[in-house]
Amino acid sequence: MNPTPSPVSAPARPRPRQQHATVRTDPMRAAPVAGGLPRPRRPYGAVPPPAGGRLDLSGPQGARLRAAVAAVHRICPEFQPVQVMRRGGRSVILLGTVGRSPAVAKCLLDHSPAQAERFRHEIAVYRAFVRNRPPVRVPRLIAADPDRCTLVAERAPGRPAALQRHPLDPPAPADLGAVLGAIGRLNAWQPPAGVFEAPLDYGRRIARYHELGLLTDRDTDDLGKLLRGLARGGRGQFCHGDALLTNVLLSPAGPVLVDWEHAGWYLPGYDLATLWSVLGDSPAARRRISQSAQSSGRDARDAFLVNLMLVLTREIRACETAVQHTMRDPGPAAACADRAGRMSTGEEQRLLLRRLHEDCAMARRAVRAAVGTR
């Protein structure tokens, strides 16, 4: 292959003594780029631990839970809810049992067309796995109702590879190796044609981000050139579609991948780009991911870069939304730093947004260098 010239030219700056320095890694090279950006713990993308105690179905909030439990019982009367694992504005996840086996029930609360379609896609993926077993461990589907957007699956054993979307601490090398191994096996899988869909329309997504002002005219032109060069690649690569460490459970029997609502055919390297985008505090992990992404030649490198630009742009958009929400309603946590010197919630989000913009600028330079080799 013809390696992409490194877009990084700025010399490394010395690490501050009193601050935690973030080391950035070129998405297509192993060369680190130092930046003295302090990285405290941040709320965006954090996954709370499962709540303890019994399931409280009283009060106004309990009404939505009662409706969710009723929807689960329509398709799986044997499900006995125990506690709420996660509850947001869009869905609720309940922990419980079916007979003597631990189980998880997921119910959609936001029945907007986009959310309902995504939920039905996840059910379709789980059902397809019944006859087309992937080369990685996945939870077994017990029952599902696409109309009411409810599903029940076995509760897979294991600990999450990370508790935050953007983990502060780098993953252990053995954990990262296990995750990359599972993703690699999944990406190399060739299920029968027509079983799974392509959830992402690249041209439409690029045009949408351009209309929103998230991509420049030059970005759109460069990404279009790379896409045209990759058009002969066929149906692409089967990907999880949301390959975050929070969606991987590490067990003695091997990694278990959960949350398949974005699974399908993508350009090669989408899962690696997703994982790279959230490991800003793990330069060694990023180097390892980049080396894996470009190991198959120029087309694999270019596909990874296209995916990386779109994934980073999506993360920027989500983080900007979180920052704007915090500015409208900062609350007491964002009023000032606490006694331990940790930064406020709003400041944490702004620091993450700054890092994402720096990563996107780096990926942009790599894209422009790659276009020059076409």
Side-chain angles (χ1 to χ4, degrees):
M1 67 175 279
N2 296 320
T4 303
S6 174
V8 180
S9 58
R13 292 176 290 180
R15 176 179 295 193
R17 293 183 179 180
Q18 300 287 330
Q19 295 179 342
H20 171 66
T22 299
V23 181
R24 214 92 46 223
T25 306
D26 182 337
M28 294 312 301
R29 288 296 183 117
V33 183
L37 180 62
R39 292 296 309 276
R41 298 189 181 276
R42 49 183 173 261
Y44 171 65
V47 178
R54 67 180 182 86
L55 188 66
D56 185 6
L57 300 178
S58 62
Q61 293 296 330
R64 305 186 79 182
L65 289 180
R66 290 195 298 272
V69 171
V72 173
H73 283 163
R74 289 189 188 99
I75 62 172
C76 186
E78 300 84 6
F79 181 80
Q80 297 297 321
V82 176
Q83 65 186 61
V84 177
M85 179 180 179
R86 188 186 309 167
R87 178 173 56 189
R90 296 177 176 176
S91 63
V92 59
I93 299 179
L94 303 172
L95 299 182
T97 59
V98 175
R100 296 184 178 181
S101 302
V104 177
K106 182 177 180 180
C107 301
L108 190 65
L109 301 177
D110 174 11
H111 285 267
S112 63
Q115 294 300 323
E117 180 62 27
R118 184 179 300 173
F119 200 100
R120 294 186 184 107
H121 176 77
E122 183 175 13
I123 292 176
V125 170
Y126 274 113
R127 286 178 170 174
F129 284 162
V130 174
R131 292 190 175 183
N132 302 274
R133 297 298 299 174
V136 295
R137 298 187 66 208
V138 301
R140 178 179 59 87
L141 182 66
I142 298 175
D145 184 350
D147 295 330
R148 292 185 173 88
C149 294
T150 305
L151 68 84
V152 181
E154 69 171 336
R155 183 183 179 186
R159 59 177 175 85
L163 294 177
Q164 292 177 304
R165 185 181 186 90
H166 296 262
L168 181 64
D169 299 322
D175 291 350
L176 180 63
V179 172
L180 290 178
I183 290 175
R185 292 191 300 275
L186 180 69
N187 295 159
W189 185 41
Q190 292 292 322
V195 176
F196 299 100
E197 301 176 356
L200 177 59
D201 184 324
Y202 282 85
R204 184 176 298 178
R205 180 66 58 86
I206 291 171
R208 180 185 179 190
Y209 285 163
H210 180 251
E211 291 175 358
L212 293 173
L214 299 170
L215 294 176
T216 66
D217 293 342
R218 175 71 181 274
D219 293 335
T220 303
D221 184 58
D222 288 344
L223 292 173
K225 290 178 180 177
L226 293 184
L227 284 176
R228 287 190 291 273
L230 295 167
R232 63 180 182 275
R235 58 178 177 175
Q237 183 182 76
F238 186 81
C239 294
H240 178 277
D242 199 20
L244 306 169
L245 294 179
T246 52
N247 287 334
V248 181
L249 302 178
L250 299 174
S251 71
V256 183
L257 274 62
V258 299
D259 290 347
W260 292 86
E261 61 186 28
H262 300 283
W265 295 102
Y266 293 83
L267 287 178
Y270 189 88
D271 283 342
L272 294 178
T274 300
L275 194 57
W276 191 98
S277 70
V278 298
L279 290 176
D281 289 309
S282 308
R286 280 188 161 183
R287 284 195 296 271
R288 191 170 176 180
I289 294 169
S290 297
Q291 291 165 359
S292 178
Q294 65 179 334
S295 62
S296 299
R298 185 181 66 176
D299 284 354
R301 175 206 66 188
D302 292 352
F304 173 73
L305 287 175
V306 172
N307 288 322
L308 189 59
M309 277 294 294
L310 295 185
V311 169
L312 286 171
T313 303
R314 179 197 65 198
E315 293 295 306
I316 287 173
R317 187 185 181 198
C319 193
E320 286 179 342
T321 301
V323 170
Q324 293 170 1
H325 178 75
T326 302
M327 292 177 65
R328 290 194 300 267
D329 184 18
C336 60
D338 64 16
R339 296 180 181 179
R342 291 190 296 267
M343 296 190 180
S344 67
T345 300
E347 184 64 15
E348 293 165 0
Q349 293 170 339
R350 284 188 287 273
L351 287 174
L352 174 59
L353 182 59
R354 175 182 165 186
R355 192 264 287 173
L356 290 171
H357 276 293
E358 292 176 355
D359 287 344
C360 193
M362 187 192 319
R364 179 178 289 112
R365 292 192 295 268
V367 167
R368 292 178 180 176
V371 170
T373 67
R374 280 283 175 182

